[in-house]
Amino acid sequence: MSEVAGDLGTGRASVGAVLDFAWDAGVFTATDAMAQTSLTRSTAIEAIDTLVSLGVLHELPNAREAGSYRSGRPARRFTLASDLGVVVGMDAGDTHLAVTVADPLERTLVHHRTDLDPTHSPDERRAVILAQLQQALDEAGASPDAVLAICVGVAAPVNRDGVSPPHPLGFWERTNPQLAHALTGLAPVVEVKNDALLAAVAEGSDPRGAAIGCRDYVALLAGERFGGGVVVDGQLLHGAHGGVGEGVVFDHIIGVGSAFGLGPALQTRVREALAEGEIPAEGPTGQLAAARRIDPRAVLDLAASGDPDAALVVDRVGRTLARIVGVLGSMYDPAKVIICGAVAESIEPVLAAARGILPAQLHLPAPELVASALGAEVVSLGAVATARRAARERAVPQRAVQRLAAR
């Protein structure tokens, strides 16, 4: 239960306890609330009535009015108000922007995904993000005061104030163009987070997540660049500047040499193998190199179908991945390393190659290496989950306190 929730009703924690219970309860009665909160009947009813009067709970028709009454006094029924507001989750990657407007419980109201121009200045990028946010809110029919919480994932380390440290080439300042400041005032709670950290949130909270029930794991965003969201003993690791899991470390690892992800690695290995005469130019894999940009999925599909040239490339990328996972395993001792992002849906041939040599990369037991089932939306899902948690623990209790004070 949040501290703010405990302040409801002139300091009575009973109101906060009932509010916390209501988020997961669906339709409930006072008896249900008593059983889960250990409150007496009179205290539970008083707390429920307070929340109803504040517009946080809605009272539903009783059993008789709903047509299910059989005998005895019909119980009053309640549920969390459906008009509490909306939450927003955004994935502001280097070259894409996804905006999701959702209710605080489970429904997605609007989801947009569009390209971002990586040559934009920070000011231009910020303007596009704010415009796309407003467009999504307008489409959802959400008024400005309906927004409870906003969470944005960016491809940069982010400290606890939503600020990214300076980057030698200005990349972090561009991918996080002072978004925390720009979004202040648009919602009671605004959070800017590293995208890999939000991927870790999604893997541990979404019903399809690979880390459900796991307390020690790394969610490794591995498409264009490597970045890890790290969970140890059930806690997300952050760091002084939000840099835990930052991929720049792989620039300095022998056998890896770059923070670029599995997509670029597959392209590079195809061109290297072709240049060294290890695969023929006329073969299916060699022909891919004629394109300006090699589609990594095409290489993976060829490997999965048994093409020996693609298998050679995939084996080499698998060795690189094994080295990366070995470093993560030695640093954080995870039970699982989850490969996340759009590349995950076709990455199994690389994972199979990596698993064969992974145990030799570290002295600890090797982590389980798996592909995410959450696809390209993994960061968006984590952002929405984080915004929902902020609405539950902070925004809705704060609004209830404000309404109580305004009586």
Side-chain angles (χ1 to χ4, degrees), residues 3 46 52 55 78 100 130 133 179 186 210 227 231-232 250 253 261 291 304 311 322 331 338 357 359-360:
E3 292 181 6
E46 182 182 4
V52 169
F78 308 90
T100 305
L130 292 174
L133 168 60
L179 290 176
L186 299 184
V231 175
V232 175
F250 299 118
I253 301 298
M331 291 174 63
I338 306 160
I357 58 175

Side-chain angles (χ1 to χ4, degrees), residues 11 15 24 55 70 127 166 183 193 218 222 226 228 230 260 298 305 319 334-335 339 401:
V15 181
D24 300 317
R70 295 185 182 275
L183 295 169
K193 303 281 189 182
V218 176
F226 289 118
V230 182
F260 288 107
S305 68
R319 290 177 179 276
I339 304 302
V401 168

Side-chain angles (χ1 to χ4, degrees), residues 108-131:
T108 296
L109 305 177
V110 171
H111 177 73
H112 287 163
R113 191 176 181 91
T114 188
D115 292 334
L116 288 179
D117 187 340
T119 67
H120 274 170
S121 70
D123 289 344
E124 291 171 323
R125 181 181 178 89
R126 183 171 57 252
V128 170
I129 291 171
L130 292 174

Side-chain angles (χ1 to χ4, degrees), residues 18 21-33 41 44-53 56-63 74-81:
V18 170
F21 159 74
W23 280 97
D24 300 317
V27 176
F28 67 93
T29 66
T31 300
D32 298 327
R41 173 170 290 277
I45 291 173
E46 182 182 4
I48 289 170
D49 286 341
T50 297
L51 290 168
V52 169
S53 70
V56 178
L57 296 182
H58 280 171
E59 182 167 3
L60 301 173
N62 63 37
R76 297 170 67 195
R77 304 184 307 145
F78 308 90
T79 190
L80 201 68

